[in-house]
Structures are given as structure tokens and as C-alpha cells.
Amino acid sequence: MSFINYSAREINCKIVYYGPGLCGKTTNLQLIYKKTRPESKGKMITLATETERTLFFDFLPIALGDIKGFKTRFHLYTVPGQIFYDASRKLILKGVDGIVFVADSQVERMDANLESFDNMKVNLEEQGYKLEQIPYVIQYNKRDLPDVVPVAELKQVLNTAGVPDFEAVAYEGTGVFETLKAVVKLVLIELKKGA
Amino acid sequence: MPQSPFVMYDEEYQEITGVIEKLLRESNSKCVYLVDKDGQLISATGETKDIDATSLASLTAGNIAATGGLAKIIGEKEFSILFHEGERDNLHISVVGQRVILVVIFDKRSSLGLVRLRVKKASEELGNSIQKLMDRMTAGAQEENVLKEITDDDIERLFH
Ligand SMILES: Nc1nc2c(ncn2[C@@H]2O[C@H](COP(=O)(O)OP(=O)(O)O)[C@@H](O)[C@H]2O)c(=O)[nH]1
Ligand SMILES: [Mg+2]
């Protein structure tokens, strides 16, 4: 749930990166962290296992500039992708304002993408949200790899709603900020609509 | 939007901050934070300058959410108080009015007993302030609405 603080003159929103394990969610945040000026970002927190896989969440607060004299701040979270961390995923979705669904373009990860997408819908519904009501965008990541599903096919399967979608090579930075901008825009438009 | 935004006006902020300032004094603690359950910092007071408040807020909310999950597993609704003891500083975390989280950091100048007692008293006052704020939001009473004034240009300009 966004938090409008008239005292501090701030608009705060929560964005969650969702997707199957190892699709590149943490990498997206790392890239955003690396490319954001020090004064516009907070600490990146990663709660990871010893094998460096996200255990609970990654968290990165960033500031994007002012609107009508209000600072806009976005709290970016990732969810752990592995099936057995479903409880953690549910918690992180609480109060979400916008979602980036990160798909892994590799052919052998197609089932995992679908499973994660369905899992996201179910978990949202458990919180009383419907995916269609939440601003979200899709990122097709790992476009650099040889054995990837054509984008047209990914769109057909994952983006039947026709939301903004982007190709990405997250660890090189390609598509990372385009994705972030798109979801931020949708979140702000939604906030304005609800006002 | 799944939920309407949490809006806090300056008078509400002043009232809430007044309560946590009093708690800080009366409990002899180092600092006090008030955090929304979604991880947003609402207010802070005391020796806060060496502490990353944004991270603290997010991790506190995560902590409460995770222990809430644990509570459900054993058939409890929620653990409303968490206590972490450190070598120098201790952390007392409690849920107020099911909606916000109060974090008190204290050292040997205070004690768990004193903090507990003062937190209990402050929670009632905070609960009332938060309830007023929620009622005002449900009633849709707004003195000022920045969201309405946002234009497409404003959004576009955020990214130049
Ligand atoms: N080839 C390729 N590898 C990537 C890309 N993005 C991320 N990776 C790698 O995929 C692995 C998993 O990424 P990570 O961000 O930890 O995934 P997460 O589980 O979704 O957080 C890491 O080794 C990344 O370096 C990409 O665009 N292309
Ligand atoms: Mg990760």
C-alpha cells in the first residue's frame, strides 16, 4: 500500500519483482543499485542462503525525483523463487503497489515461468487482490542465451493481458531501467486515478 | 489499486511523534521508531542518526510478518511482542492496533521491564491516534490531495 506522507512530503510505493528461481530478479536490483546515484539510493539488503540464493527477500529503496514538491520513493523487493518458499512470497506481496514479473526466456524454464505466474495469481488472490487490478509489467530476461523461446511465443503465453513488456539481459543492464520505469509509471497513474 | 494509499497529514504526524517522544523519555531508551506493517517508516525519534531507518523499517516489517507466519503454524494469531537481546543494545518490537509496529532500542540505561511498561501505555495512545487516522481515511476526508494534481507530464519528467 502506498504511503503518502504530507509531513515529510513523500510518496512511498512498494514494487515486487516476482518470477521463478534464478530468472534474474536479484540481478535486476543489483543493476539498479549499481546505476543509481549514491544520494538516490539506500542500502541494498539481501537475505540469502549460503549458496547465495534469495532466502527471504532482497530489498532496495530508491528515490526518483520530485512530483509537485513530493519526493517519490520506491521500495523494490524480490521474492525467493524456489517452490518451497511460498510462505515468504505471500508475505512480501502484502501491500504491493506494482509488480514486475521476470520470466526466464530459456526453453527449459518455460514450465517454471508458467508455474510462477500462476502461483503469483493465487498468492495475490489470497490477499484479496486480483492481478488485473494491480499495475504490472513483464520482463523476458536472459535474451542473450542461445536456447531461448521466441518473444512472440512468450507474449502469447504470459502476456495475454497485453501489459507493457520488455526484453532484457539483466546482468548487462539491458532492459532493466525500461522495465522499472514502466512499472513506476503504471503505479503513479493508478495512484492518480484512485485519488 | 488493491488498497487505497495510507495518507498521513502533518498534524497526525505531530501527534504520533509526540507520543513516541514521550515514550523515549519515559522509558529511558535510545531511540524509538514507528513502522507501518508494509515496511514504511512513519516516524522516528532519539539517537537515530547512525541507524539506517529505511532498512530497519523494512526488516522489522519482514520480521513481524515472518513470526506472524510462525504463529499461524502453531495456532496463534500473531506474536504481538518480540524481544532481541544484544551485547550492548536491545530491541523491543511490538504491534500496535494490528496495523503499525513500534520499535524501541535501549541499552543498560533502561530495562526490559521499564520498556514493556511504557510501551504498553504508549500503545494505547498510539492506537487511538492511528484509529483516528484510519477513520479519517475511510471517511474520505482530505484537506489536501497531491495525487489528484499529478499530471502525465510530472510522471514523464521523473525520468527526463
Ligand atoms: N545469461 C544470463 N544470465 C543472467 C541474466 N540475468 C541474470 N543472470 C544470471 O542468472 C543467475 C540467477 O540470477 P538471480 O538474479 O540470482 O536470480 P533470482 O533467483 O531471480 O534472484 C545469476 O547467475 C545471474 O548472473 C541474463 O540476462 N543472462
Ligand atoms: Mg534472488
Side-chain angles (χ1 to χ4, degrees):
Chain A
M1 171 169 24
S2 53
F3 174 35
I4 321 297
N5 186 336
Y6 281 83
S7 189
R9 302 258 134 195
E10 279 177 7
I11 298 173
N12 296 276
C13 302
K14 174 173 179 176
I15 291 172
V16 174
Y17 282 68
Y18 211 100
L22 301 177
C23 67
K25 301 175 293 292
T26 300
T27 309
N28 265 271
L29 260 61
Q30 284 167 340
L31 244 291
I32 293 166
Y33 182 80
K34 214 158 69 184
K35 297 262 171 78
T36 303
R37 283 171 299 147
E39 63 273 24
S40 303
K41 67 188 175 195
K43 262 210 202 84
M44 177 159 170
I45 293 176
T46 293
L47 299 184
T49 60
E50 276 174 21
T51 52
E52 291 192 10
R53 303 198 52 185
T54 310
L55 172 65
F56 194 20
F57 59 70
D58 304 302
F59 170 67
L60 174 63
I62 55 164
L64 279 184
D66 291 15
I67 285 189
K68 301 271 181 274
F70 279 66
K71 275 173 254 152
T72 59
R73 294 182 184 281
F74 291 85
H75 288 182
L76 312 182
Y77 285 83
T78 72
V79 297
Q82 299 92 306
I83 308 282
F84 45 91
Y85 287 131
D86 205 35
S88 308
R89 279 194 292 279
K90 284 182 194 156
L91 299 177
I92 294 155
L93 278 178
K94 272 173 50 182
V96 65
D97 295 303
I99 297 176
V100 173
F101 184 83
V102 181
D104 191 324
S105 299
Q106 296 177 90
V107 171
E108 75 260 25
R109 295 301 283 161
M110 208 50 205
D111 284 349
N113 288 330
L114 275 171
E115 198 175 338
S116 176
F117 197 80
D118 287 344
N119 173 260
M120 171 172 78
K121 281 198 254 184
V122 170
N123 282 341
L124 283 170
E125 273 161 28
E126 262 180 44
Q127 316 265 349
Y129 311 152
K130 278 216 169 66
L131 179 62
E132 310 87 78
Q133 297 165 337
I134 295 183
Y136 76 100
V137 303
I138 301 177
Q139 180 183 82
Y140 310 116
N141 191 30
K142 306 200 181 179
R143 296 310 300 170
D144 58 315
L145 291 177
D147 204 12
V148 296
V149 178
V151 171
E153 204 173 306
L154 283 161
K155 275 179 192 283
Q156 218 171 39
V157 179
L158 294 170
N159 197 7
T160 48
V163 300
D165 53 3
F166 304 88
E167 294 182 44
V169 184
Y171 69 172
E172 290 172 357
T174 314
V176 169
F177 274 91
E178 288 81 349
T179 307
L180 175 66
K181 281 177 196 176
V183 73
V184 161
K185 259 191 206 177
L186 290 185
V187 167
L188 291 172
I189 290 168
E190 190 67 28
L191 265 181
K192 176 178 154 65
K193 240 199 285 174
Chain B
M1 188 89 2
Q3 291 162 297
S4 47
F6 183 81
V7 177
M8 181 174 68
Y9 289 111
D10 194 46
E11 314 85 80
E12 293 163 332
Y13 171 78
Q14 300 300 345
E15 182 178 318
I16 287 167
T17 305
V19 181
I20 64 167
E21 279 169 352
K22 194 165 80 179
L23 170 62
L24 178 82
R25 281 195 310 273
E26 294 187 341
S27 65
N28 250 343
S29 43
K30 274 176 90 169
C31 39
V32 179
Y33 294 84
L34 194 70
V35 174
D36 156 64
K37 266 196 174 173
D38 295 335
Q40 315 266 20
L41 180 69
I42 297 174
S43 184
T45 184
E47 300 164 33
T48 53
K49 67 174 186 311
D50 294 330
I51 295 175
D52 176 353
T54 314
S55 300
L56 180 131
S58 161
L59 287 172
T60 303
N63 198 351
I64 283 288
T67 45
L70 275 176
K72 283 212 188 78
I73 290 173
I74 66 161
E76 284 286 329
K77 207 167 133 228
E78 179 168 70
F79 295 118
S80 52
I81 295 178
L82 306 176
F83 176 60
H84 299 298
E85 190 176 325
E87 268 173 26
R88 212 185 46 238
D89 292 335
N90 311 298
L91 210 54
H92 185 282
I93 302 175
S94 56
V95 179
V96 177
Q98 292 180 24
R99 165 82 245 171
V100 296
I101 305 166
L102 188 58
V103 182
V104 179
I105 302 177
F106 66 97
D107 58 18
K108 58 178 186 301
R109 287 173 289 176
S110 183
S111 68
L112 178 57
L114 180 65
V115 168
R116 272 203 132 130
L117 191 73
R118 298 305 187 205
V119 160
K120 205 166 169 195
K121 190 169 136 215
S123 295
E124 273 173 39
E125 282 180 60
L126 278 176
N128 290 337
S129 302
I130 298 290
Q131 192 53 50
K132 261 199 303 190
L133 188 155
M134 303 307 271
D135 291 346
R136 191 258 307 141
M137 285 200 301
T138 350
Q142 285 177 330
E143 27 193 305
E144 198 186 345
N145 191 340
V146 62
L147 300 177
K148 239 185 214 146
E149 295 165 21
I150 296 178
T151 63
D152 294 349
D153 278 353
D154 289 331
I155 297 174
E156 208 57 52
R157 227 176 296 130
L158 265 190
F159 303 102
H160 330 293

